[in-house]
Amino acid sequence: MNGAESLVHTLLDSGVEVCFTNPGTSEMHFVAALDHIPGMRSVLTLFEGVATGAADGYYRMAGKPASTLLHLGPGLANGISNLHNAKKAGSGVVNIVGEHAASHLELDAPLTADIEGLARPVSHWVHSAKSAADVGADAARSVQAANTAPGQVATLILPSDTAWTDGGQVAAPLAPPIRVKPAEADIAAAAGALDGAESLLLLGGEALTAETLELAGQIAAQTGCALLSEWSNARMERGAGRVPVPRVPYPIDLAVEVLAPFKRIVLVGARAPIGFFAYPGKPAVLTADGAEIIELADWSADLHGTLEGLCVAAGAEGAKPDLATRNPEASVSGPLNPDSIAQVLGQKIPESAIVVDESITTGRAFHPVTKGAAPHTWLNNCGGSIGYSLSCAIGAAIACPDRKVLTLTGDGSALYMPQALWTMAREQLDITVVIWANHSYQILRGELTNVGVQNPGPRAIDMLTLDRPRIDWIAQARAMGVDGVRIDSAEAFSDALEDAFDSTGPRLIEVSM
């Protein structure tokens, strides 16, 4: 057995069953091992950022890591933006990055790079295999690191000589650290702070599952506290019959206004609210001056156990939470705008759908209306590096092949990873892609004003537009093997979604804004 074969066997024994791959020469022995060792699903991507983003989406829905296969330093570099997003989302990913053989590194060949240096900022765990005999044990440790709560990015660098040399040994799986919950005294103190409309329970991470939201809803019903989540969430269960939780708004002024009433804020799986960017003359800390911030449990803790304990301490075990009610059936007509789009989504999101949201500008109106849609799961971009949604949808669809996946993204974001469409077609994934085609980086038009730039001139505006030439998303999709349709009214959007959900396989809807 060579090192590559021991790597595949160990990954499989440790529960890693999918590899999102874009390999090169240095990884050919790993490719050969994937070929003749059964059990690992290998998914080819045309760009490494698609592979890393897909691994992020897979973890969010499967609750266990996939691996990526990346070619040397440049291949890793191509995947870094979505590794950044995965790290910020708390997603477990095992990166296998090829490296030159030790003898070749001495020659400073053209593809030689500081792979460890590239990996460290976007990884919690980085290691270079030293010999074929070590590869299996290294792989087991990488999966253990990836499974460390809430999920971590682990990067194992595989020199080609450690892959092709005999002497590989399969290693047994390693258990990750056990999640712990806060001390009972801390839970009791937090429960005492949740006493009325001036108190807030701010949720994030795995405090947003259906079960944990039920507990949070009981606590709110008993104590009178408000519930909010962070602006960006790796995964939130939503829809009719579930406890609705508004998000802290993205715009600074609105976030400050929403958070102003709260004098006591208990954090469960969330960070204290801060602005996404710094703006001249505006606060970075969004909570009211003097607000007491109680950091009860960070996102690596046992959040279900924490909320169970908080529920008991607050005397809320028998309380009935407020639940979202199903939107009444209605047809939506007229021009397309954020409000009419939200109404269509609130009607058409299928039950058990997975919504991958990168609607940076258009989507700010979506949450209040879609809380009454059929029960569904909502995924956000937690790292802010745009271009995550199309690739994340691939991983979600592979993790949950029996569920519809709907990805919502602006045209500017989608242009970062359009190669994802090809993988959707190749794998025949049940994904509906909706592109908000406003032919600009619309978010940045607003940001010019937010940072104090008044009356921007034509050159500034030209740097934020995407209409010279306009992208034909239907032609783009068809070139990648995905059927598409362009629509420009609320009625047509509703019909297009129905058609997509009534079929299987990937579809693209370009929404002309």
Side-chain angles (χ1 to χ4, degrees), residues 196-208:
E198 293 183 340
S199 61
L200 169 66
L201 181 55
L202 183 60
L203 306 172
E206 291 189 8
L208 299 172

Side-chain angles (χ1 to χ4, degrees), residues 106-145:
E106 299 172 358
L107 305 177
D108 192 24
L111 279 169
T112 302
D114 181 2
I115 299 177
E116 289 192 8
L118 290 167
R120 284 193 186 97
V122 292
S123 305
H124 300 82
W125 183 94
V126 181
H127 180 75
S128 295
K130 299 296 187 284
S131 71
D134 296 333
V135 169
D138 294 340
R141 291 194 297 125
S142 73
V143 180
Q144 180 187 46

Side-chain angles (χ1 to χ4, degrees), residues 147-508:
N147 277 319
T148 299
Q152 297 187 347
V153 177
T155 300
L156 175 60
I157 300 165
L158 183 70
S160 54
D161 52 343
T162 69
W164 73 51
T165 301
D166 287 342
Q169 301 176 28
V170 180
L174 299 173
I178 296 174
R179 290 188 173 201
V180 298
K181 69 177 186 178
E184 294 298 329
D186 293 334
I187 291 175
L194 295 173
D195 59 347
E198 293 183 340
S199 61
L200 169 66
L201 181 55
L202 183 60
L203 306 172
E206 291 189 8
L208 299 172
T209 68
E211 295 78 12
T212 49
L213 287 174
E214 183 84 9
L215 293 167
Q218 289 180 304
I219 294 164
Q222 177 68 24
T223 66
C225 75
L227 297 178
L228 286 174
S229 81
E230 295 181 298
W231 163 253
S232 296
N233 300 290
R235 176 175 177 175
M236 179 190 283
E237 300 303 320
R238 307 180 69 246
R242 292 175 175 165
V243 174
V245 179
R247 299 186 295 171
V248 174
Y250 176 90
I252 293 288
D253 295 338
L254 186 55
V256 169
E257 179 183 343
V258 167
L259 293 167
F262 303 119
K263 296 181 179 179
R264 296 168 301 284
I265 301 175
V266 175
L267 306 179
V268 176
R271 296 176 58 197
I274 59 170
F276 217 83
F277 296 103
Y279 298 100
K282 295 188 178 184
V285 175
L286 306 181
T287 49
D289 290 343
E292 180 185 7
I293 307 295
I294 301 166
E295 299 179 0
L296 180 59
D298 67 22
W299 67 348
S300 67
D302 174 4
L303 300 185
H304 189 278
T306 298
L307 287 169
E308 279 186 327
L310 199 56
C311 193
V312 171
E317 290 174 284
K320 293 186 177 180
D322 290 332
L323 302 178
T325 57
R326 187 73 170 94
N327 291 333
E329 290 190 17
S331 59
V332 186
S333 61
L336 284 165
N337 55 50
D339 290 330
S340 64
I341 289 169
Q343 291 172 30
V344 172
L345 291 172
Q347 293 288 327
K348 298 302 179 183
I349 290 174
E351 186 166 354
S352 299
I354 302 165
V355 181
V356 183
D357 180 23
E358 197 173 12
S359 307
I360 301 173
T361 305
T362 305
R364 291 180 187 174
F366 291 174
H367 262 233
V369 179
T370 56
K371 72 179 182 181
H376 60 276
T377 301
W378 201 282
L379 313 183
N380 289 123
N381 184 348
C382 297
S385 181
I386 66 174
Y388 106 105
S389 56
L390 298 184
S391 52
C392 185
I394 290 171
I398 288 175
C400 301
D402 57 335
R403 298 176 65 176
K404 294 286 185 181
V405 177
L406 171 64
T407 185
L408 311 172
T409 182
D411 48 0
S413 297
L415 285 167
Y416 277 69
M417 307 270 174
Q419 307 93 329
L421 296 169
W422 183 87
T423 298
M424 293 178 193
R426 177 184 173 94
E427 299 292 325
Q428 278 300 291
L429 301 177
D430 200 2
I431 299 172
T432 298
V433 176
V434 178
I435 307 285
W436 314 121
N438 55 29
H439 308 290
S440 70
Y441 291 120
Q442 191 64 33
I443 180 69
L444 298 181
R445 297 287 294 269
E447 293 297 277
L448 273 176
T449 302
N450 290 338
V451 300
V453 176
Q454 302 297 324
N455 302 315
R459 282 185 291 178
I461 296 299
D462 190 54
M463 283 187 278
L464 308 181
T465 58
L466 303 174
D467 60 356
R468 193 160 53 83
R470 287 197 169 198
I471 306 299
D472 183 341
W473 277 102
I474 306 307
Q476 174 94 291
R478 287 174 180 161
M480 298 282 186
V482 176
D483 287 335
V485 61
R486 182 179 295 108
I487 59 94
D488 59 4
S489 71
E491 300 99 318
F493 183 39
S494 181
D495 292 342
L497 284 177
E498 275 196 24
D499 288 345
F501 297 144
D502 286 343
S503 62
T504 57
R507 299 284 290 275
L508 183 140

